[in-house]
Amino acid sequence: MPYREQIPIDRGIDNSLSMMMEGYLYITNRRRRFGRDMFETRLLGAQKAVCIAGEEAAKLFYDETKIMRKGAAPKRVRQTLFGEKAIQTMDDVNHKHRKALFMSLMTEDRLQEIVDIFKEEWSSAIEQWESKEQIVLYSEVTKVLTAAVCRWAGVFLPENDLNLRASQLEAMFDAAAAVGPRHWKGRQGRNALEQWLKNMIEEFRSGKLEIPEETAMHQIAWYRDTNGNVLDSQVAAVEVLNILRPTVAIAVYIVFTALAVFEHPSEKIKLKQENGETYYEMFVQEVRRYYPFFPFAAARARKDFLWKGHDFKKGNLVLLDIYGTNHHPDLWEKPNQFYPEHFQDRENNPFDFIPQGGGEYKLGHRCPGEWLTIEVMKASLDMLMNHMEYEVPEQDLDYSMSRMPSLPKSRIIMKRIKKI
C-alpha cells in the first residue's frame, strides 16, 4: 500500500484574513509551527489549499503533469495584476506557444537595448533631480521605467502622459493583494491602460500607425495563436501590459537595491573594488532573494496524486511559498542575512531560487522577464554607484511583511543630488 499520512491543518473556516495580516510570513509561520514544509488550510471563500515550500516542493509545483494554472488566480488578481486570458492563466500547448512569443522578445541585443534606454532615461532624470530639494526614489524610478519600457516596446507615449501612465501601471501591481481603495485604483488603472493599448493596436492594424517590427507591440499585434488567428485586440492589449507592468514593477527591486547599498556600507566598498560585473550580479541576485517581492504562487492539482504521503485531489488549490523557499534554512547557509556571497560560484538550479517563479524558461512557467529584471537592476546599481551623488536623510526605512508588495515606508528619500 502507498504511504499516506495526515498533514498538519491550519484550523479555521477561512484563513484569508490571517494571510492578509501576516502577508509574506503566513506560510512560513505555520511551517515553523508545524515543523513541516507542507500543511493544509482554507482560503478564498473556504477553499481547501495545500501550502508547500522548498526545492522538492518547487519541482512538484512546476510539474505540469500534476499541476496546472487554469482557475488558480483569483478574479481580483486577474482584474489588476494579470488580466483576463493572459499567459499566466494558460497551460499546455497554448501556454508554450504564447510563451515562445515572450521568449523571442528577450534576445541579447534587445535586452541590451532596454538597458541602454533605461540608463539614458535615468541620466536625463538626474538632471531634473539636481534642481529639486529632494526626491522620492520610488516615484521617480517608476516614471523612468515607464518611459524606458514604452520606448523599447514600441508603445507611443506622449511626454505629457508619462505621469498618468506611470501611476496607472504602478497601481496595477500595487493592488495585486490589496482590498478597498488600492484594489479599485488598480482595476481602474488596468481598464484605462487596456483601452489605451487596444486603441493603439487597432490603429496599427488598420495602417494608421507605424510601429517598429522588432518591438513587443508589433510582435504581439501580429502574433497568431495555435489556431492561426491573431489575438483579439483586447487580449493583445493585455499581453502588451504583461511587458509594461512587470518592467515598471522592477521599481520595487530598485528601491530595495538602494536600501541595501545604504544599509550595508561594507557592500558598497566591495562593489567599488570588484572588477567586472561579477559582484554586481551577486548583489542584485541577493536583493531578489532577501527582500520581499512575490509572496507565493498559486496553481491547482491537475489530477489526483500522492506526494510525500499526502493525497492531492484534482482541483485542490496549491500555494508555493516563494518568499519562504528563498529563505529556507535547508537551501541557504545564512537565510536571514543579506549576503551576496550566497551567489558566489552557485550552480544554476531552477527550483531553489525562485523570486519570479521556478522551473525551466522555455517549457515551463518561469518568468521570461527575469533576464530583463536582472539586467535593469544591474544598470540601476551602476547609476546609483557611479553616475550620481546623493544624501539619504533620516527617514522611516522599515518595510512591512504584511503589505504586498512591500516597500520601505519612506520609498527612499534622497536629497542634494548631483550628476557625476
Side-chain angles (χ1 to χ4, degrees):
M1 290 289 291
Y3 167 70
R4 286 176 169 82
E5 67 171 280
Q6 175 61 57
I7 62 174
I9 299 175
D10 186 26
R11 301 293 178 183
I13 297 173
D14 188 333
N15 296 309
S16 299
L17 181 59
S18 295
M19 173 172 278
M20 290 180 62
M21 293 178 66
E22 297 177 55
Y24 292 90
L25 297 177
Y26 171 79
I27 297 177
T28 296
N29 287 342
R30 280 145 190 80
R31 288 173 36 235
R32 289 173 178 165
R33 184 200 309 167
F34 296 135
R36 293 283 302 275
D37 279 339
M38 176 168 51
F39 66 91
E40 180 184 313
T41 187
R42 290 193 176 272
L43 302 166
L44 304 175
Q47 294 183 56
K48 179 180 176 180
V50 181
C51 300
I52 56 178
E55 182 178 353
E56 294 302 314
K59 289 178 181 178
L60 168 68
F61 190 83
Y62 292 101
D63 181 347
E64 294 190 42
T65 67
K66 296 182 175 69
I67 303 293
M68 64 181 183
R69 299 302 178 277
K70 186 176 181 181
K75 186 174 182 180
R76 65 188 310 104
V77 174
R78 300 197 306 274
Q79 290 170 332
T80 55
L81 192 66
F82 295 150
E84 300 290 351
K85 300 181 181 179
I87 185 173
Q88 295 94 338
T89 66
M90 303 173 73
D91 291 294
D92 306 324
V93 174
N94 290 331
H95 175 266
K96 290 178 174 60
H97 191 268
R98 198 172 295 184
K99 180 74 172 285
L101 165 67
F102 283 85
M103 294 294 291
S104 72
L105 301 171
M106 301 298 163
T107 65
E108 186 174 341
D109 288 345
R110 293 291 286 145
L111 290 175
Q112 185 59 52
E113 183 179 344
I114 193 170
V115 167
D116 292 342
I117 293 172
F118 171 70
K119 294 179 82 168
E120 285 176 18
E121 294 289 345
W122 188 309
S123 184
S124 296
I126 296 174
E127 295 172 4
Q128 299 174 30
W129 300 344
E130 285 180 312
S131 64
K132 297 181 178 181
E133 184 177 339
Q134 65 180 35
I135 67 157
V136 177
L137 183 64
Y138 178 66
S139 299
E140 295 298 325
V141 167
T142 297
K143 290 185 284 188
V144 168
L145 285 163
T146 299
V149 73
C150 284
R151 277 179 60 188
W152 179 76
V155 175
F156 175 65
L157 177 64
E159 187 175 349
N160 58 1
D161 285 350
L162 174 60
N163 289 350
L164 172 63
R165 300 308 181 190
S167 176
Q168 291 169 339
L169 284 162
E170 188 270 342
M172 285 170 54
F173 60 80
D174 191 62
V179 295
R182 275 174 61 205
H183 173 74
W184 287 104
K185 184 180 179 183
R187 285 185 64 173
Q188 290 166 358
R190 171 168 283 283
N191 292 340
L193 288 164
E194 284 185 5
Q195 188 61 52
W196 173 54
L197 292 169
K198 178 182 176 183
N199 292 342
M200 202 178 300
I201 288 165
E202 290 174 352
E203 286 187 7
F204 170 55
R205 286 174 173 173
S206 67
K208 297 177 182 177
L209 185 67
E210 291 187 8
I211 297 175
E213 184 174 351
E214 72 276 7
T215 63
M217 190 74 165
H218 189 291
Q219 296 297 317
I220 292 171
W222 292 121
Y223 163 82
R224 294 185 179 274
D225 63 20
T226 52
N227 296 316
N229 301 317
V230 295
L231 297 176
D232 174 86
S233 57
Q234 180 76 28
V235 177
V238 167
E239 296 298 34
V240 173
L241 276 178
N242 274 325
I243 296 291
L244 306 188
R245 183 259 310 157
T247 304
V248 176
I250 300 172
V252 176
Y253 274 145
I254 291 174
V255 168
F256 278 125
T257 299
L259 179 64
V261 169
F262 176 72
E263 292 192 327
H264 303 279
S266 61
E267 294 298 333
K268 191 172 182 178
I269 295 170
K270 293 178 185 178
L271 286 163
K272 287 286 188 181
Q273 292 176 341
E274 286 292 328
N275 295 321
E277 293 190 348
T278 302
Y279 204 79
Y280 268 58
E281 179 142 349
M282 290 165 56
F283 190 92
V284 301
Q285 291 288 54
E286 181 66 353
V287 169
R288 296 173 70 229
R289 185 201 71 84
Y290 179 79
Y291 292 101
F293 194 71
F294 287 117
F296 47 79
R300 291 193 182 276
R302 183 185 290 269
K303 61 183 180 181
D304 294 354
F305 64 91
L306 185 69
W307 186 74
K308 291 188 178 294
H310 177 68
D311 272 313
F312 286 77
K313 299 299 182 183
K314 182 178 179 179
N316 279 169
L317 186 64
V318 183
L319 300 183
L320 175 65
D321 186 0
I322 289 179
Y323 181 82
T325 299
N326 289 337
H327 292 76
H328 202 296
D330 291 348
L331 301 175
W332 307 95
E333 182 182 352
K334 301 174 181 180
N336 298 312
Q337 179 179 331
F338 185 84
Y339 186 64
E341 283 78 0
H342 279 134
F343 293 91
Q344 191 165 29
D345 302 322
R346 184 177 179 83
E347 293 184 10
N348 184 33
N349 182 335
F351 301 107
D352 65 353
F353 177 50
I354 54 172
Q356 290 174 258
E360 301 293 343
Y361 284 109
K362 291 185 178 180
L363 300 178
H365 282 263
R366 196 177 190 103
C367 177
E370 191 168 20
W371 300 326
L372 187 153
T373 299
I374 294 167
E375 293 307 314
V376 168
M377 287 180 68
K378 283 159 57 177
S380 71
L381 182 57
D382 177 48
M383 297 304 293
L384 289 166
M385 293 287 299
N386 302 311
H387 297 277
M388 58 188 285
E389 294 177 349
Y390 58 90
E391 295 180 12
V392 179
E394 187 174 346
Q395 59 192 280
D396 190 349
L397 295 172
D398 288 341
Y399 52 91
S400 169
M401 297 301 289
S402 60
R403 189 190 194 279
M404 299 178 286
S406 186
L407 283 163
K409 291 178 182 177
S410 66
R411 308 308 196 251
I412 307 290
I413 297 168
M414 294 177 170
K415 66 179 185 179
R416 295 193 178 92
I417 296 171
K418 183 183 294 184
K419 189 173 185 179
I420 58 175

